[in-house]
Amino acid sequence: KDPETSELGKKIIEHSIYLIDEIGFESFTFKKLGLKIGSNESSIYRYFESKHKLLLYLTSWYWAWLEYQLVIETFSMSNAKDKLEKAISVVTRTVEEDTNFSHINEILLYRIIVNESSKSFLTKNVQEENKNGYFEIYKRLISRISEMIQQIEPSYTFAMSLASIIVEGSLHQHFLNEHFPSLTNYGKDIKPTQFFTDLAFKTLNSTNE
């Protein structure tokens, strides 16, 4: 059942984000969520058959939200380099709350994406879930950035690889900054956006030399 179609569904989404951020995905259970929202486990299972499917839903929601921002912020741009630079900024910047969705705290959801999103696809069933379309929005976002890269340098062979590195690498840099700050240059005056912009354009410029 689509959680966006009912108040209980929205409540499940809202409080699952708070609870996963608070205790981590491993410790998160539908029983604990039920206690938080004053509902029994069976009502939650009507929306999600497992907590893994809930995580897939949350990550897909996040990627759709990010894709929407990317499309809106680059739509009117005609210069290919400016467009790619803006796209890199959108997918690597620190997330701020979007009040258009009152039941979803995007700041907390972003923290979950940074810390937990890899658990949505590092599973035995990832190929089957991919065939079933669970990662379509994520793949579409990366494809959009890949197309922008190719608009700048059509002969560049590794556009999709570079695009996926920008998207996933940004999450990893935010993760390192939070947990292993000695392993990244991310700091007060250096943000992932600067690094990935530098990486992308120096890589593309080198193909013309």
Side-chain angles (χ1 to χ4, degrees):
K1 187 176 180 180
D2 184 355
E4 297 292 337
T5 61
S6 72
E7 288 304 312
L8 176 59
K10 290 179 180 179
K11 198 173 183 181
I12 288 170
I13 296 302
E14 177 183 6
H15 289 275
S16 67
I17 291 171
Y18 282 105
L19 192 55
I20 293 172
D21 179 66
E22 180 184 349
I23 66 176
F25 186 67
E26 290 88 351
S27 299
F28 172 84
T29 66
F30 284 169
K31 183 177 181 179
K32 292 176 182 177
L33 178 59
L35 291 173
K36 279 277 186 183
I37 65 176
S39 181
N40 53 44
E41 287 181 74
S42 61
S43 64
I44 300 172
Y45 280 108
R46 292 208 308 270
Y47 293 88
F48 300 101
E49 63 184 57
S50 67
K51 72 174 189 176
H52 173 68
K53 290 293 175 65
L54 171 61
L55 183 61
L56 284 172
Y57 180 89
L58 294 177
T59 55
S60 292
W61 193 99
Y62 173 79
W63 295 123
W65 177 71
L66 195 63
E67 181 189 35
Y68 173 78
Q69 292 179 72
L70 184 144
V71 170
I72 291 297
E73 295 190 36
T74 63
F75 178 75
S76 62
M77 303 179 76
S78 56
N79 183 282
K81 290 185 178 180
D82 290 345
K83 198 168 188 175
L84 178 60
E85 188 172 357
K86 172 58 74 172
I88 293 172
S89 173
V90 169
V91 300
T92 61
R93 66 194 178 193
T94 301
V95 169
E96 297 180 355
E97 193 167 9
D98 185 342
T99 55
N100 288 327
F101 303 94
S102 60
H103 66 295
I104 293 181
N105 184 313
E106 289 81 10
I107 296 173
L108 298 186
L109 179 57
Y110 180 68
R111 288 215 298 252
I112 292 172
I113 298 300
V114 168
N115 289 293
E116 315 281 7
S117 67
S118 62
K119 295 165 189 173
S120 68
F121 56 81
L122 294 179
T123 66
K124 193 78 171 178
N125 299 321
V126 63
Q127 287 180 290
E128 181 181 347
E129 290 173 343
N130 184 36
K131 288 178 182 177
N132 291 332
Y134 286 103
F135 304 102
E136 285 305 308
I137 301 172
Y138 171 69
K139 293 191 295 184
R140 192 172 66 212
L141 173 67
I142 291 176
S143 292
R144 287 184 185 277
I145 298 172
S146 175
E147 289 168 5
M148 293 178 188
I149 292 169
Q150 290 179 312
Q151 286 174 1
I152 295 173
E153 186 48 67
S155 65
Y156 183 61
T157 309
F158 311 108
M160 191 66 80
S161 295
L162 180 57
S164 61
I165 282 175
I166 291 168
V167 173
E168 280 299 322
S170 172
L171 296 181
H172 188 57
Q173 289 299 308
H174 284 284
F175 181 87
L176 290 178
N177 183 56
E178 183 176 349
H179 302 289
F180 303 103
S182 63
L183 299 181
T184 177
N185 294 113
Y186 184 166
K188 182 180 179 181
D189 299 317
I190 301 176
K191 305 300 181 186
T193 298
Q194 295 167 261
F195 168 65
F196 287 106
T197 302
D198 182 78
L199 174 66
F201 283 98
K202 282 185 177 176
T203 298
L204 295 176
N205 288 338
S206 69
T207 65
N208 293 318
E209 295 177 356

